[in-house]
Amino acid sequence: MLTTTIHNMQITSKLPEVGTTIFTIMSKLAVDYKAINLGQGFPDFNADQRLLNLVTQAMSDGFNQYPYMPGVASLRQVISDKVSAIYGHRYDPDTEVTVTSGATEAIMSTVLAVVNTGDQVIVLEPCYDSYLPAIKLAGGQAVCIPMNPPTSDCQTFHVDWDRVRSSVTPRTKLIIVNFPHNPTGAILTAEDLDALEAITQNTNIMLLSDEVYEHIVFDGKPHLSLATRPELAARTFVISSFGKTTHTTGWKIGYCCAPVALTTELRKVHQFVVFTVPSPFQVALAAYTQDASTYLNLPTFYQDKRDRLATGLNQTRFKPLPNPSTFFMLADYRAISDMPEADFSIWMTKEHGVTVIPVSAFYGNPDSVDSNHGIVRFCFAKQNRTLDAAIERLMKV
Ligand code: PMP
Ligand code: GLN
């Protein structure tokens, strides 16, 4: 237990083991050492000028006051239409779609809404850094199931659904999944969805599906949203974010689609966490997203960058792993060093001027041997010249 005392005031930390997030630490280190930042996941190029103009227009048109608590109507309609067109499930924009302050708030509000003291939440590791603190703040208990790490037979991280099945108990309230997966790029197959259906059938288990990279899947493959399966959709909070899709991570506009009973509880929390999120961005994104090419062209756009980074890494001593989705690429550095991933990442910034993220940071226990596979994450949401400059430095490692 961590207790801080100032004068007579005492704070007993609710998150004693939590420090500053790895993304913030590594981005600061990148600035301090003037390194090329391929760590934190954000584009180093601007969003489409058309979208920026739409925001300016929305402000000039007077969309500057509190929007409706669950989100601007036109945006909820566009989200509902998009999900229906791509995944074949129609969410009622009035009662089943909520616009949130990024996916982060949707995740926190969902977990706070459904997890009660003592409930168990199954999480697949490596996992995005906000999941475990959210569960803890809700009074729940995280049950972490490691994904199987890459081997020579299967070069991608993959889920052992038998292990997930055997971890289910009467106390399991929620399973959190994240595909396309950060940091590994793993995507769902029909067999994965079958397994999830079988595990949750005849239970009261709910699902939180973090699909923020839904539009960044490569090699012509589709993203299999949990919304594509009616039985899963009936128990799932499907969460996404415009930050990844429109190159606007700093706007923090996300959303959650969920059946009305689930959405009702989500909104009770949402309205007291943020109440609502900025109107000009919502109005602009509603107009912009009506043009489906704004998200359907993303795979081509990012696949070029993925291939550029992979080709570059193949000229270094890093070994890039296959990358079916997201704007992150994993690379094995064991030919270079046997340092733990966190030490290696700091060394890379300080000595070689390229910032990466240790995959171990996505585990509840980052220092454990089981969390360290000699793999780091590179973000390729960067201009080609940034990627080329990084490769030049990496060739010297
Ligand atoms: N989930 C995952 C898997 C992410 O990678 C991120 C951010 N990169 C988020 C959630 C948070 O999204 P947002 O910035 O919209 O809050
Ligand atoms: N999701 C981003 C990443 O994985 C970071 C978001 C953040 O810094 N909170 O790099």
Side-chain angles (χ1 to χ4, degrees), residues 148-166:
N148 290 336
T151 59
S152 45
D153 291 339
C154 178
Q155 288 199 301
T156 44
F157 280 81
H158 50 281
V159 182
D160 181 345
W161 291 110
D162 288 335
R163 249 181 116 167
V164 175
R165 186 176 296 108
S166 58

Side-chain angles (χ1 to χ4, degrees), residues 316-342:
T316 72
R317 292 165 73 204
F318 288 90
K319 184 171 149 249
L321 301 181
N323 172 258
S325 72
T326 76
F327 47 50
F328 301 117
M329 179 173 296
L330 299 186
D332 187 319
Y333 64 79
R334 282 174 297 180
I336 301 167
S337 164
D338 55 10
M339 271 187 251
E341 292 174 9

Side-chain angles (χ1 to χ4, degrees), residues 21-24 27 38-42 104 128-130 182-183 212-213 244 249 252 327-328 357 362 377 379:
T21 80
I22 187 70
F23 308 115
T24 310
S27 281
L38 303 190
Q40 194 175 23
F42 63 88
T104 308
Y128 188 58
D129 67 347
S130 78
N182 178 9
V212 300
Y213 301 101
K244 320 294 167 189
T249 61
K252 301 297 296 181
F327 47 50
F328 301 117
I357 298 287
F362 292 76
R377 190 194 79 175
C379 172

Side-chain angles (χ1 to χ4, degrees), residues 5 14 16 57 67 81 112 130 189 205 210 214 263 279 316 357 372 390-391:
T5 308
K14 293 200 172 154
Q57 186 64 45
D81 292 345
L112 290 178
S130 78
T189 62
I205 298 172
D210 176 349
E214 62 179 324
T263 294
S279 32
T316 72
I357 298 287
N372 281 267
I391 294 295

